[in-house]
Amino acid sequence: MSGEKSFAVVLRGMRQRTRLTMEELAEASGVSVRAIGDMERGRSRVPQRRTVVALAEGLGLADEEREVLLTAARAARTTRAVAGTGTAVPPRSVGDFTGRDRELARLREAADRSGTGEATVTVVSGPPGCGKTTLVLKAAAELVERFPDGCFVVDLNGVEGPVDSVEALLKLLKALGVSDRRLARADAQGRAGLLRALLGERRCLVVLDNARDEAQVRPLLPAGGRSLVLVTSRRPLTGLEDVDRLALSEMAQEEAVELLRRILGKERTDAETDAVVRVAELCGRLPLALRVAGNWLTVRSGWSIDHQVRRLADEERRLEALTAGDVRVEAAFELSYRQLTGQAARMLRLLSLVPGPDMTPAHGAALTSTGVFEAEGVFEELVEAGLLQATFTGRYQLHDLLRLFARGRLSREETPAEREEADDRLRTWLLETAVVAGRWYKPEYGAPPPSWHGLVPLESAEQARAWLQDEAPAWLAALRSAADRGEHARVVDVAYAMEWFCDLWVFWGHWPEVFRLSSQSAAALGDPYLRAFHLNCYSWALNSCERRSREAIARADEALENARRAQDVTQQASALVHAASAHWRLGEFQAVADRSLASVDLSESTGNYEVWPQAMRLYGLALRLLGRAEEALTQHKRIIAFLDAPECPVSGHVADVFRARATQAIGLDCAALGRWREAVDHHRSAQAQSHRIGLLHAEVEQLLRLGEALIELGETEEARSRLRQALAFGDAADSEDLKAARKLLDALPAG
């Protein structure tokens, strides 16, 4: 130990200063003469703390000298580490270590369990650069006092030139004090047994860093005792049994920002807080990348942090920018990439084409023209290599920086034609599946035809809805790409399939874009019917999703012109309904009555009733708001009678939506007439219907109206419950409905 006296020297010096012989010290402390002699000669392992305390008492040391002896013993224990080269080094810990509180707590718990006599092995795994070694060495430095028989660190160098397990075994046994003569007498199996025995009888902390696979570490693991073994690996080492596993990924955003603050200093980061946050985001919150970016800024002290942001913002050069001296983020990825099979390496490259934040094996199957089962096996190889993360939801994530790495390899190792073919396969699958899923909610389609065999199950409307919502980022990106490529027929097919599904997910946030793209594609195709249909959908999205009601009226009027040119009554009636709905949001109730009544008359005169229930409901709403609630109630009851008729032309999901909306309208009419009990009954029924079909935004509105009616009846406890139920919907609800529910709830007396 440079600059410090060893425990042997300190002990011998203190004994000599007190003029005690070894025999006298042995008698005074209760420690054997032989043990004292071995300690003073440095031939034995450092004693446990209680032995050192006994020696201090036998020597009659004052508090200051006693602490010197204890400190020398601690230092001796913490330096008993084994590097890959066989030299002794202390467990290093990064001084500006940040965050990872939950993970450190897990490792402390592992240490606690080992103290009860249960040998504990914890595998810390994760992608390259996520800070596995840093975390484990931080924990080792913190926990070393709990392991009086030593802390040993072995770099297994598993990614590049892995250390043979026989070599690692020898290094550990030598560090534990086993003589060369004894080692020479034992074969590999005997040495493994000897290591297990030593770790079983002693309390040691062993760090096996950077393990390649299970076979490399299995001979180094104890079978019992009170030792703790921490293994780091890019792979989860799923073949090991009876081990704890701790999966590491990128840091939380606040942790990433704090790490940059510690590297750069408070004054500098406080001057550019937004830029610091952006650097953390561009580094994907990966500790290695954060440290490289931070080190660059410490070396280039004249740079602003925003300058680093500009360097990292260029995706094509971001990995190149994340290089500091001999530390390259890309090199860390490259080491794992080179270990992949050819099939897995190609899958990783192609996954960079997936536009969403996560993916499933079906994406991989579409990209590679293979089956889902085969693709799943390749995904698991990537997970094992630490290059793909499996989530608890059954989906997989590719870290942002790994995506850039994979994209770079794709450009270098695949021809432009191969890249285009894979991209086309993925886009085609996403959009064709979106069409089949969306059609579940269109009355003229429903379930997929028996001839359809997709990569994902769409055997029910619920499965279709789940797929459309889970894969929304991907199929939306594919739709944008198709529009950019001029694939107009494909764009209008997808949007056409969403006609009724979109009403189940009103506040997704992208319906105006979907129907704007489809309106533009319909215009490019020059078909007046298609233009009318998609302009009507666009009008709905502008009004219902973004409250751009004047624009919605303009698009509805444009749709009406095209529908007349196409001589399509349904789209003409729809255009009048969408215009009426926009007028209603603007509070122009006479215009609502005029437009909706025109739609009703058109439907009845032509015998085309597809849109009639919507038009009649809006007409009734206008009548009520114009002070004619009895007439409104009559019109709304006509809708229920229409839907109840045996030969009703509207059926399935669409009929269910019309019924729930009409039932709600009747409840509002009853409320306007002061018939509160009837209003409660109808609102309760409407809410139950909406809940059954998944019409979430309507359900929130119905809970609000139910709460209002219950308050009028003095039933405040149920009202409170219903209003709280409405607030629980959060982003799935109209913000205005949420505000109204909150206001009513706050006005209720405390209860």
Side-chain angles (χ1 to χ4, degrees):
M1 297 188 302
S2 178
E4 296 180 3
K5 293 180 180 180
S6 69
F7 175 75
V9 172
V10 172
L11 175 60
R12 185 168 61 250
M14 288 183 172
R15 181 181 61 78
Q16 290 172 348
R17 282 197 299 274
T18 58
R19 301 183 183 279
L20 291 176
T21 65
M22 287 187 189
E23 290 76 7
E24 289 170 335
L25 177 57
E27 185 177 351
S29 65
V31 180
S32 71
V33 173
R34 180 176 178 180
I36 294 172
D38 286 344
M39 282 184 247
E40 290 191 1
R41 296 181 185 91
R43 292 179 179 176
S44 68
R45 56 195 175 94
V46 177
Q48 296 184 16
R49 189 178 189 278
R50 61 176 177 269
T51 302
V52 180
V53 170
L55 289 169
E57 291 176 352
L59 290 166
L61 299 179
D63 289 345
E64 186 175 339
E65 289 183 311
R66 176 192 181 101
E67 187 57 37
V68 169
L69 185 64
L70 288 168
T71 300
R74 283 195 298 268
R77 281 194 289 270
T78 60
T79 58
R80 297 185 57 186
V82 183
T85 61
T87 58
V89 295
R92 59 185 175 86
S93 176
V94 177
D96 53 18
F97 183 91
T98 304
R100 303 297 197 192
D101 293 338
R102 182 184 65 84
E103 292 83 356
L104 283 171
R106 285 275 304 275
L107 297 181
R108 291 188 199 104
E109 290 169 5
D112 292 340
R113 288 195 302 276
S114 70
T116 64
E118 174 187 352
T120 304
V121 178
T122 298
V123 176
V124 180
S125 63
C130 70
K132 301 179 291 294
T133 299
T134 303
L135 170 69
V136 167
L137 291 181
K138 170 68 175 179
E142 179 183 310
L143 298 171
V144 68
E145 286 294 328
R146 303 196 197 182
F147 297 90
D149 294 319
C151 174
F152 307 93
V153 181
V154 182
D155 184 358
L156 297 176
N157 203 25
V159 181
E160 190 173 27
V163 173
D164 186 87
S165 58
V166 174
E167 181 185 348
L169 193 58
L170 282 171
K171 293 181 185 297
L172 273 173
L173 288 170
K174 286 184 178 181
L176 285 164
V178 179
S179 67
D180 290 340
R181 181 182 302 175
R182 189 175 182 187
L183 289 173
R185 290 200 302 264
D187 58 13
Q189 187 173 357
R191 290 168 183 165
L194 179 58
L195 178 64
R196 284 194 294 271
L198 290 172
L199 293 180
E201 70 183 33
R202 301 181 187 181
R203 182 146 166 72
C204 301
L205 172 58
V206 179
V207 175
L208 302 176
D209 189 32
N210 198 8
R212 178 184 177 89
D213 54 29
E214 294 88 341
Q216 188 186 29
V217 300
R218 194 173 276 118
L220 310 176
L221 303 180
R226 296 183 300 126
S227 291
L228 171 65
V229 179
L230 304 178
V231 184
T232 72
S233 177
R234 296 185 179 188
R235 302 172 181 271
L237 305 183
T238 51
L240 295 180
E241 299 177 352
D242 298 323
V243 303
D244 295 327
R245 287 189 170 82
L246 176 57
L248 214 58
S249 59
E250 65 271 18
M251 304 179 83
Q253 178 67 14
E254 60 273 15
E255 291 179 341
V257 170
E258 180 59 24
L259 176 57
L260 288 171
R261 282 174 60 88
R262 292 194 177 190
I263 295 172
L264 300 175
K266 182 177 184 300
E267 182 178 349
R268 193 172 179 188
T269 52
D270 284 353
E272 295 183 80
T273 54
D274 291 343
V276 174
V277 170
R278 187 65 180 136
V279 168
E281 292 170 349
L282 291 170
C283 288
R285 308 193 307 278
L286 196 69
L288 177 61
L290 291 164
R291 191 160 294 284
V292 170
N295 288 350
W296 258 114
L297 287 168
T298 58
V299 173
R300 300 291 190 272
S301 57
W303 282 8
S304 67
I305 300 175
D306 188 61
H307 179 75
Q308 182 72 294
V309 169
R310 292 194 296 273
R311 293 180 76 239
L312 296 174
D314 183 353
E315 285 192 351
E316 299 299 320
R317 303 185 64 181
R318 187 177 305 165
L319 287 176
E320 180 185 337
L322 288 172
T323 301
D326 62 348
V327 180
R328 296 172 54 241
V329 173
E330 186 170 12
F333 299 157
E334 181 70 31
L335 289 172
S336 290
Y337 178 75
R338 289 207 304 261
Q339 294 179 6
L340 297 174
T341 63
Q343 189 180 25
R346 183 166 187 262
M347 180 69 83
L348 180 68
R349 295 193 296 269
L350 293 179
L351 288 180
S352 67
L353 296 172
V354 177
D358 52 19
M359 60 206 71
T360 68
H363 293 80
L367 283 163
T368 57
S369 295
T370 58
V372 174
F373 184 80
E374 182 180 350
E376 186 173 28
V378 181
F379 270 40
E380 287 304 314
E381 181 182 341
L382 292 172
V383 170
E384 286 289 320
L387 296 174
L388 196 64
Q389 291 176 273
T391 69
F392 292 112
T393 62
R395 300 177 70 82
Y396 296 81
Q397 291 179 335
L398 186 63
H399 189 275
D400 290 347
L401 294 181
L402 276 167
R403 187 186 295 270
L404 293 180
F405 171 80
R407 188 183 302 168
R409 305 305 296 187
L410 181 70
S411 298
R412 277 179 268 173
E413 299 182 36
E414 306 275 345
T415 66
E418 289 170 334
R419 296 197 299 269
E420 181 65 27
E421 287 170 6
D423 191 49
D424 185 60
R425 287 193 297 269
L426 179 64
R427 185 172 65 258
T428 298
W429 170 69
L430 285 167
L431 297 183
E432 286 182 352
T433 308
V435 168
V436 174
R439 283 176 175 173
W440 258 106
Y441 297 93
K442 288 180 71 72
E444 65 269 37
Y445 290 98
S451 59
W452 186 78
H453 300 288
L455 295 174
V456 293
L458 295 177
E459 298 168 3
S460 67
E462 290 74 22
Q463 284 184 333
R465 179 174 184 168
W467 188 90
L468 286 168
Q469 292 183 333
D470 290 344
E471 303 299 345
W475 69 254
L476 176 60
L479 187 73
R480 291 168 179 156
S481 178
D484 290 341
R485 294 165 180 267
E487 298 173 354
H488 301 305
R490 182 174 282 177
V491 172
V492 297
D493 281 350
V494 172
Y496 181 79
M498 301 298 157
E499 178 187 12
W500 286 100
F501 169 71
C502 63
D503 202 39
L504 295 175
W505 200 22
V506 174
F507 300 110
W508 172 37
H510 295 284
W511 293 120
E513 179 184 6
V514 168
F515 294 121
R516 174 179 58 79
L517 291 174
S518 66
S519 297
Q520 292 169 347
S521 286
L525 293 170
D527 184 322
Y529 168 77
L530 288 177
R531 290 195 70 185
F533 177 90
H534 291 283
L535 283 166
N536 272 326
C537 291
Y538 190 22
S539 175
W540 168 84
L542 289 169
N543 185 52
S544 298
C545 305
E546 294 189 347
R547 309 294 187 259
R548 293 157 60 184
S549 301
R550 288 293 174 209
E551 291 180 63
I553 292 169
R555 298 292 78 75
D557 289 344
E558 192 178 349
L560 183 60
E561 292 175 12
N562 280 278
R564 285 170 175 163
R565 252 189 295 146
Q567 298 182 339
D568 188 279
V569 173
T570 298
Q571 294 309 312
Q572 290 178 51
S574 291
L576 291 166
V577 163
H578 288 306
S581 182
H583 282 298
W584 177 82
R585 193 168 293 283
L586 292 168
E588 298 167 353
F589 303 130
Q590 188 57 57
V592 176
D594 295 342
R595 293 285 190 118
S596 57
L597 184 58
S599 181
V600 168
D601 291 343
L602 179 62
S603 297
E604 292 177 347
S605 65
T606 59
N608 189 314
Y609 285 91
E610 286 184 44
V611 185
W612 183 86
Q614 290 175 283
M616 183 59 77
R617 183 176 66 86
L618 279 167
Y619 180 54
L621 290 178
L623 291 175
R624 177 172 54 79
L625 292 167
L626 291 169
R628 299 157 61 183
E630 284 286 2
E631 293 178 66
L633 182 59
T634 299
Q635 301 303 333
H636 289 143
K637 286 182 176 180
R638 287 183 62 194
I639 301 173
I640 300 298
F642 169 81
L643 295 171
D644 285 344
E647 302 301 321
C648 179
V650 181
S651 61
H653 171 74
V654 176
D656 289 340
V657 172
F658 287 160
R659 185 181 298 277
R661 287 298 203 177
T663 303
Q664 177 186 352
I666 292 172
L668 291 170
D669 297 335
C670 291
L673 294 167
R675 292 151 59 175
W676 294 107
R677 180 55 60 192
E678 291 178 65
V680 163
D681 292 342
H682 282 94
H683 287 318
R684 204 188 301 278
S685 175
Q687 185 258 327
Q689 293 174 49
S690 293
H691 180 77
R692 180 177 59 81
I693 62 178
L695 205 62
L696 300 183
H697 67 288
E699 187 178 355
V700 174
E701 184 181 354
Q702 288 146 6
L703 285 166
L704 170 63
R705 302 310 172 197
L706 176 57
E708 290 174 338
L710 288 166
I711 289 171
E712 291 292 335
L713 290 172
E715 299 175 11
T716 55
E717 283 311 306
E718 186 183 355
R720 193 190 315 278
S721 174
R722 296 302 184 180
L723 293 171
R724 286 174 175 164
Q725 189 178 346
L727 291 172
F729 279 81
D731 293 341
D734 186 318
S735 60
E736 294 301 317
D737 287 339
L738 293 177
K739 288 179 185 177
R742 170 54 63 190
K743 185 176 180 180
L744 277 177
L745 190 61
D746 290 343
L748 289 176

mmCIF file of all heavy atoms in Angstrom, residues 26 72 82 183 194 202 275-276 325 400 424 430 521 546 580 686-687 695 716:
data_model
loop_
_atom_site.group_PDB
_atom_site.id
_atom_site.type_symbol
_atom_site.label_atom_id
_atom_site.label_comp_id
_atom_site.label_asym_id
_atom_site.label_seq_id
_atom_site.Cartn_x
_atom_site.Cartn_y
_atom_site.Cartn_z
ATOM 1 N N ALA A 26 -0.362 -12.553 23.671
ATOM 2 C CA ALA A 26 -1.322 -13.649 23.505
ATOM 3 C C ALA A 26 -2.123 -13.855 24.779
ATOM 4 O O ALA A 26 -3.345 -14.047 24.755
ATOM 5 C CB ALA A 26 -0.581 -14.929 23.114
ATOM 6 N N ALA A 72 -5.699 0.229 9.775
ATOM 7 C CA ALA A 72 -4.741 -0.601 9.036
ATOM 8 C C ALA A 72 -5.362 -1.941 8.666
ATOM 9 O O ALA A 72 -5.135 -2.469 7.564
ATOM 10 C CB ALA A 72 -3.485 -0.812 9.869
ATOM 11 N N VAL A 82 -8.381 -9.070 -6.855
ATOM 12 C CA VAL A 82 -7.634 -9.744 -7.904
ATOM 13 C C VAL A 82 -8.076 -9.186 -9.236
ATOM 14 O O VAL A 82 -9.238 -9.319 -9.612
ATOM 15 C CB VAL A 82 -7.900 -11.268 -7.861
ATOM 16 C CG1 VAL A 82 -7.055 -11.972 -8.902
ATOM 17 C CG2 VAL A 82 -7.612 -11.818 -6.486
ATOM 18 N N LEU A 183 -2.184 -26.162 -4.603
ATOM 19 C CA LEU A 183 -2.837 -25.986 -5.903
ATOM 20 C C LEU A 183 -2.325 -26.999 -6.908
ATOM 21 O O LEU A 183 -3.077 -27.517 -7.743
ATOM 22 C CB LEU A 183 -2.601 -24.568 -6.426
ATOM 23 C CG LEU A 183 -3.335 -23.445 -5.696
ATOM 24 C CD1 LEU A 183 -2.877 -22.088 -6.207
ATOM 25 C CD2 LEU A 183 -4.841 -23.591 -5.862
ATOM 26 N N LEU A 194 -12.345 -26.748 -3.728
ATOM 27 C CA LEU A 194 -11.596 -26.031 -2.701
ATOM 28 C C LEU A 194 -12.096 -24.597 -2.578
ATOM 29 O O LEU A 194 -12.255 -24.074 -1.461
ATOM 30 C CB LEU A 194 -10.106 -26.058 -3.050
ATOM 31 C CG LEU A 194 -9.161 -25.324 -2.086
ATOM 32 C CD1 LEU A 194 -9.294 -25.880 -0.662
ATOM 33 C CD2 LEU A 194 -7.712 -25.441 -2.576
ATOM 34 N N ARG A 202 -15.627 -18.928 5.012
ATOM 35 C CA ARG A 202 -15.264 -17.526 5.249
ATOM 36 C C ARG A 202 -16.398 -16.601 4.812
ATOM 37 O O ARG A 202 -17.348 -17.021 4.156
ATOM 38 C CB ARG A 202 -13.988 -17.170 4.486
ATOM 39 C CG ARG A 202 -12.797 -18.041 4.871
ATOM 40 C CD ARG A 202 -11.562 -17.642 4.109
ATOM 41 N NE ARG A 202 -10.459 -18.573 4.360
ATOM 42 C CZ ARG A 202 -9.253 -18.439 3.825
ATOM 43 N NH1 ARG A 202 -8.992 -17.412 3.014
ATOM 44 N NH2 ARG A 202 -8.302 -19.318 4.090
ATOM 45 N N ALA A 275 -30.029 22.965 -21.767
ATOM 46 C CA ALA A 275 -29.041 22.253 -22.579
ATOM 47 C C ALA A 275 -28.581 20.981 -21.875
ATOM 48 O O ALA A 275 -28.350 19.947 -22.521
ATOM 49 C CB ALA A 275 -27.854 23.159 -22.881
ATOM 50 N N VAL A 276 -28.445 21.011 -20.560
ATOM 51 C CA VAL A 276 -28.044 19.821 -19.805
ATOM 52 C C VAL A 276 -29.091 18.720 -19.967
ATOM 53 O O VAL A 276 -28.767 17.549 -20.207
ATOM 54 C CB VAL A 276 -27.848 20.155 -18.308
ATOM 55 C CG1 VAL A 276 -27.585 18.886 -17.505
ATOM 56 C CG2 VAL A 276 -26.689 21.121 -18.134
ATOM 57 N N GLY A 325 -10.961 10.168 -26.050
ATOM 58 C CA GLY A 325 -9.724 9.407 -25.933
ATOM 59 C C GLY A 325 -9.926 7.995 -26.439
ATOM 60 O O GLY A 325 -10.390 7.775 -27.569
ATOM 61 N N ASP A 400 -31.895 3.945 -27.846
ATOM 62 C CA ASP A 400 -31.735 4.934 -28.919
ATOM 63 C C ASP A 400 -30.344 4.887 -29.547
ATOM 64 O O ASP A 400 -30.200 4.957 -30.772
ATOM 65 C CB ASP A 400 -32.005 6.345 -28.381
ATOM 66 C CG ASP A 400 -33.473 6.569 -28.057
ATOM 67 O OD1 ASP A 400 -34.296 5.734 -28.476
ATOM 68 O OD2 ASP A 400 -33.786 7.561 -27.379
ATOM 69 N N ASP A 424 -40.084 -2.008 -46.992
ATOM 70 C CA ASP A 424 -41.377 -2.188 -47.653
ATOM 71 C C ASP A 424 -42.154 -3.335 -47.019
ATOM 72 O O ASP A 424 -43.373 -3.254 -46.840
ATOM 73 C CB ASP A 424 -41.173 -2.445 -49.145
ATOM 74 C CG ASP A 424 -42.497 -2.517 -49.888
ATOM 75 O OD1 ASP A 424 -43.237 -1.511 -49.866
ATOM 76 O OD2 ASP A 424 -42.807 -3.576 -50.464
ATOM 77 N N LEU A 430 -47.522 -3.582 -41.459
ATOM 78 C CA LEU A 430 -48.146 -2.670 -40.496
ATOM 79 C C LEU A 430 -49.470 -2.127 -41.028
ATOM 80 O O LEU A 430 -50.486 -2.112 -40.320
ATOM 81 C CB LEU A 430 -47.196 -1.519 -40.167
ATOM 82 C CG LEU A 430 -46.019 -1.840 -39.243
ATOM 83 C CD1 LEU A 430 -45.006 -0.703 -39.255
ATOM 84 C CD2 LEU A 430 -46.501 -2.102 -37.820
ATOM 85 N N SER A 521 -54.584 12.214 -50.157
ATOM 86 C CA SER A 521 -54.448 11.068 -51.059
ATOM 87 C C SER A 521 -55.713 10.885 -51.895
ATOM 88 O O SER A 521 -55.644 10.542 -53.084
ATOM 89 C CB SER A 521 -54.156 9.796 -50.257
ATOM 90 O OG SER A 521 -52.822 9.796 -49.783
ATOM 91 N N GLU A 546 -59.562 18.509 -31.882
ATOM 92 C CA GLU A 546 -58.767 19.728 -31.728
ATOM 93 C C GLU A 546 -59.593 21.000 -31.565
ATOM 94 O O GLU A 546 -59.026 22.085 -31.454
ATOM 95 C CB GLU A 546 -57.819 19.873 -32.928
ATOM 96 C CG GLU A 546 -56.756 18.774 -32.981
ATOM 97 C CD GLU A 546 -55.696 19.025 -34.026
ATOM 98 O OE1 GLU A 546 -55.895 19.920 -34.889
ATOM 99 O OE2 GLU A 546 -54.657 18.345 -34.000
ATOM 100 N N ALA A 580 -73.171 20.278 -38.587
ATOM 101 C CA ALA A 580 -74.057 20.550 -37.449
ATOM 102 C C ALA A 580 -73.312 20.352 -36.132
ATOM 103 O O ALA A 580 -73.465 21.147 -35.184
ATOM 104 C CB ALA A 580 -75.276 19.637 -37.513
ATOM 105 N N ALA A 686 -76.825 4.685 -20.036
ATOM 106 C CA ALA A 686 -75.907 5.121 -21.097
ATOM 107 C C ALA A 686 -74.461 4.844 -20.712
ATOM 108 O O ALA A 686 -73.653 4.386 -21.545
ATOM 109 C CB ALA A 686 -76.104 6.607 -21.379
ATOM 110 N N GLN A 687 -74.136 5.100 -19.436
ATOM 111 C CA GLN A 687 -72.761 4.872 -18.980
ATOM 112 C C GLN A 687 -72.417 3.386 -19.027
ATOM 113 O O GLN A 687 -71.312 3.004 -19.444
ATOM 114 C CB GLN A 687 -72.592 5.412 -17.559
ATOM 115 C CG GLN A 687 -71.153 5.337 -17.046
ATOM 116 C CD GLN A 687 -70.933 4.180 -16.091
ATOM 117 O OE1 GLN A 687 -71.847 3.818 -15.338
ATOM 118 N NE2 GLN A 687 -69.747 3.593 -16.106
ATOM 119 N N LEU A 695 -66.443 2.924 -25.152
ATOM 120 C CA LEU A 695 -66.545 4.319 -25.604
ATOM 121 C C LEU A 695 -66.167 5.223 -24.419
ATOM 122 O O LEU A 695 -67.015 5.824 -23.764
ATOM 123 C CB LEU A 695 -67.974 4.599 -26.086
ATOM 124 C CG LEU A 695 -68.183 5.721 -27.100
ATOM 125 C CD1 LEU A 695 -67.454 5.430 -28.406
ATOM 126 C CD2 LEU A 695 -69.671 5.911 -27.374
ATOM 127 N N THR A 716 -75.767 12.780 -2.591
ATOM 128 C CA THR A 716 -74.427 13.338 -2.787
ATOM 129 C C THR A 716 -73.313 12.300 -2.688
ATOM 130 O O THR A 716 -72.275 12.444 -3.330
ATOM 131 C CB THR A 716 -74.162 14.457 -1.764
ATOM 132 O OG1 THR A 716 -74.372 13.947 -0.441
ATOM 133 C CG2 THR A 716 -75.089 15.625 -2.004
#
